[in-house]
Amino acid sequence: MIASLISIAALLLSTTSALVTQSLPTEPFLSQVDDQTWIIGNELWNLTQGIQYGVKLFYKNHDCVGDAVGHYVSYNGAASDLNWVSASVVSQGEYNGTQYIDVKFTANAGDMHWVIFSGLAGAYQYFVNHALPSLGEFRTLWRLDNTTFTKGKTDLRDESLPPLSNFIAANLVQDSTWLKPDGSGYLTKYDFSTWIRTQTYYGLYGDGFGSWYINAGKDYYNGNHLKQELLVHRETNTGDAVQLNMIHGTHFQVSTVDVFPDGKIWGPWLWYLNDGSKDDASERAKKEFSEWPYPWLQDEAYQARGSVSGTLILSDGRPAANVAVFLGDSASNKTALDQGSDYYYTSYADAEGSFEFKDVRATTYGLQAWSNGSKTGDVTTSFLKHNVTVEAGETTDLKTLDWKVSEKEKIFQIGDFDRTSYGFQHGGSPYTHGLADKCPGDLIYTVGESEPQDWCFVQTHLGNWTIVFDAKAPGEKDTAILIVSLAGYTTGSSSTIWANGVKIGNLTSGTPRLLNDGTTYRSATTAD
């Protein structure tokens, strides 16, 4: 079959490009044009793939890429785009009565797969690592025609992309951030950021066309529950509509450089085309979530999965109600947010402290848990258990897990220990550049009179933030501990901590102390 497709592609490319949408096979196919050009698709769409970029994306007799860059895979921003040296059909078969092929594009760093089903507008994609360097950012993406795809949607934002004319060089104030021409506010690509592990579908759409990413499985993402990423935006140099698949992201973190094992798989996720209907994309997402992990992927390690369950009880007798639970690297020296070499699972305990992870890849993990506010908002400690082994087809029952909490008497507390700025003034607001300017330089919080919402979500201005509280005079052997839980931290900050006029500590950014996490200047308002 492949040999006949090659001859068909050669014939088609000798005619006009418009004919590509009409005469290709009526089943999933790979056609090789020359040693640097291939065509993939099915009866609904087709893409011309070059060494670097996928262009001429024809769907409904329309080129969805147009003058834009198209599809590509890159790491460390745009510094290193992958170049494809060969393409082949590595497997084919039938699932639920539908034919499919798995097309592999090979680069020195690894393999990009397109799993193409007959009758599906779009394709499943996954990437298999072989020689990626230690890196922070790794992504696949589409840069599409900006007259076709005029709007962007995430779980948090759904609106038109700003027109290219709004990005005036003289109004650039910082990284990808511009003052609006009328002076009413700011435009930044980070407006379309969101929580990566809670999104269901997102993408670009316009009249008659939609391009969506549906990442049903999220175990290949780096980070924990609070992982944020940029998902769509306007490319301000060209005007391209950009749809990002940040499978290893860095925008809102400190230390995200990871080494990946040979064979690590990112994906599969579904890239889905439709007529721009969000309802249709939402229904498709429900279908994908119900079918994950995908039975059709012919990979033994991917299919080898088990489950983990247990119940967390605090040492003071309370259930660890609704706490955040994380399954990640065992015996790691990285925070849960900064882990990213392998596979990661997030969940929340129920009201009794019970939790369960399903469809977990079979290997050894470390289990962590921390307060998610509410009934456990006073818990300052975290839970950690190493060497949690998951076996294929088995349930690892950890039974009851004892979580040691502090026995010290609490003098005061402002907000919950939940690693976020929720509850504070402006905390949890939409991504907004310059919102920090609304927080004061000087602030006085009086315990017993002030409320958490009187404490602002971020401190960026020079000044003193003061807490006034009553406490009994300490005895000779008494000690007090001040615990500061930060949702984010930016380079260039330095805070001196005083108690009754006596300097007791300092928080200063920069190596080897607290590093920059990119949250404040990239408009985050809740966490890093």
Side-chain angles (χ1 to χ4, degrees):
M1 181 180 73
I2 296 175
S4 64
L5 291 177
I6 292 174
S7 63
I8 292 172
L11 174 63
L12 287 170
L13 289 180
S14 68
T15 62
T16 63
S17 61
L19 291 179
V20 174
T21 66
Q22 301 173 8
S23 305
L24 287 170
T26 57
E27 57 187 10
F29 68 90
L30 162 69
S31 300
Q32 183 163 349
V33 179
D34 54 43
D35 60 358
Q36 297 183 349
T37 312
W38 306 266
I39 302 175
I40 59 173
N42 61 17
E43 67 274 26
L44 299 179
W45 66 275
N46 62 79
L47 174 74
T48 301
Q49 177 67 59
I51 286 181
Q52 189 172 1
Y53 300 116
V55 296
K56 295 181 181 177
L57 169 60
F58 284 97
Y59 175 59
K60 296 195 299 184
N61 294 321
H62 177 73
D63 182 2
C64 295
V65 170
D67 294 330
V69 170
H71 184 273
Y72 60 105
V73 180
S74 68
Y75 60 87
N76 290 339
S80 300
D81 296 338
L82 270 60
N83 293 324
W84 312 115
V85 297
S86 67
S88 61
V89 175
V90 293
S91 68
Q92 53 190 322
E94 182 178 297
Y95 177 68
N96 283 344
T98 304
Q99 297 292 323
Y100 73 88
I101 61 172
D102 187 333
V103 179
K104 179 179 72 173
F105 286 92
T106 298
N108 292 332
D111 304 322
M112 181 70 186
H113 291 252
W114 299 66
V115 181
I116 305 170
F117 278 80
S118 180
L120 175 61
Y124 295 93
Q125 300 174 312
Y126 64 98
F127 186 88
V128 182
N129 173 60
H130 293 306
L132 280 171
S134 301
L135 57 79
E137 184 176 277
F138 183 48
R139 62 188 187 170
T140 73
L141 67 155
W142 285 98
R143 287 172 58 172
L144 298 171
D145 175 55
N146 59 24
T147 62
T148 303
F149 300 93
T150 58
K151 300 177 182 179
K153 184 188 183 308
T154 71
D155 284 359
L156 299 181
R157 194 179 291 257
D158 181 5
E159 61 190 50
S160 296
L161 298 174
L164 185 59
S165 59
N166 280 3
F167 299 98
I168 301 172
N171 289 352
L172 181 67
V173 297
Q174 65 171 47
D175 172 32
S176 299
T177 304
W178 285 260
L179 179 67
K180 289 183 179 180
D182 63 4
S184 62
Y186 297 92
L187 295 169
T188 171
K189 67 181 183 181
Y190 302 110
D191 288 341
F192 283 94
S193 301
T194 188
W195 309 104
I196 197 73
R197 289 182 177 270
T198 58
Q199 54 79 23
T200 53
Y201 72 98
Y202 69 93
L204 302 166
Y205 69 102
D207 293 337
F209 295 90
S211 176
W212 312 99
Y213 277 133
I214 301 173
N215 302 73
K218 295 177 171 59
D219 55 0
Y220 47 85
Y221 284 138
N222 58 317
N224 61 12
H225 313 61
L226 300 180
K227 178 74 171 63
Q228 304 171 77
E229 264 307 334
L230 171 64
L231 299 186
V232 298
H233 68 90
R234 167 83 69 203
E235 167 53 53
T236 55
N237 291 323
T238 64
D240 294 356
V242 182
Q243 181 181 358
L244 288 166
N245 185 34
M246 300 298 301
I247 49 182
H248 192 281
T250 65
H251 283 111
F252 299 93
Q253 290 169 256
V254 177
S255 175
T256 53
V257 176
D258 290 300
V259 178
F260 307 108
D262 185 8
K264 173 172 178 175
I265 294 178
W266 283 273
W269 57 86
L270 175 62
W271 161 64
Y272 183 59
L273 288 167
N274 69 4
D275 62 359
S277 167
K278 290 174 284 186
D279 288 341
D280 174 68
S282 177
E283 287 302 311
R284 185 73 200 199
K286 292 177 183 177
K287 178 179 184 297
E288 298 306 318
F289 277 73
S290 69
E291 294 185 357
W292 184 87
Y294 298 117
W296 45 259
L297 180 56
Q298 299 176 23
D299 181 87
E300 183 177 353
Y302 176 84
Q303 298 296 346
R305 296 174 182 265
S307 61
V308 178
S309 62
T311 301
L312 288 158
I313 300 295
L314 303 178
S315 60
D316 60 13
R318 291 180 291 165
N322 310 120
V323 298
V325 191
F326 175 77
L327 204 59
D329 298 336
S330 185
S332 174
N333 60 358
K334 291 187 175 183
T335 69
L337 184 62
D338 289 325
Q339 293 179 22
S341 293
D342 291 297
Y343 303 98
Y344 304 93
Y345 302 86
T346 60
S347 184
Y348 294 95
D350 64 16
E352 302 304 318
S354 296
F355 63 89
E356 183 178 17
F357 296 96
K358 296 181 178 180
D359 298 315
V360 177
R361 280 175 168 265
T363 188
T364 299
Y365 297 91
L367 179 74
Q368 297 187 39
W370 55 88
S371 169
N372 189 39
S374 186
K375 294 181 179 180
T376 58
D378 61 329
V379 177
T380 60
T381 61
S382 298
F383 177 86
L384 178 62
K385 180 178 177 59
H386 300 305
N387 301 318
V388 176
T389 300
V390 178
E391 297 182 359
E394 302 293 333
T395 296
T396 300
D397 186 357
L398 301 176
K399 303 188 183 303
T400 300
L401 301 168
D402 297 322
W403 181 342
K404 180 69 173 177
V405 299
S406 175
E407 297 178 351
K408 290 183 177 294
E409 177 186 356
K410 181 174 67 178
I411 300 174
F412 70 84
Q413 179 176 328
I414 303 174
D416 288 343
F417 286 93
D418 58 5
R419 305 188 182 187
T420 76
S421 61
Y422 288 130
F424 299 143
Q425 187 178 10
H426 305 304
S429 297
Y431 294 83
T432 305
H433 178 74
L435 188 62
D437 292 339
K438 296 187 176 182
C439 289
D442 296 304
L443 185 153
I444 298 178
Y445 186 101
T446 302
V447 175
E449 298 179 11
S450 303
E451 299 293 335
Q453 57 264 31
D454 297 324
W455 190 266
C456 213
F457 82 110
V458 65
Q459 182 180 15
T460 59
H461 297 295
L462 292 176
N464 296 316
W465 285 26
T466 303
I467 302 171
V468 179
F469 62 94
D470 290 326
K472 65 181 180 180
E476 183 177 344
K477 295 184 179 180
D478 288 342
T479 59
I481 297 176
L482 175 65
I483 300 173
V484 180
S485 178
L486 300 175
Y489 208 87
T490 300
T491 292
S493 301
S494 182
S495 298
T496 302
I497 303 171
W498 302 75
N500 295 333
V502 178
K503 179 180 177 181
I504 61 172
N506 180 270
L507 290 173
T508 300
S509 60
T511 305
R513 300 178 182 177
L514 296 173
L515 302 175
N516 178 43
D517 59 28
T519 55
T520 303
Y521 70 80
R522 285 179 172 156
S523 306
T525 65
T526 306
D528 63 11

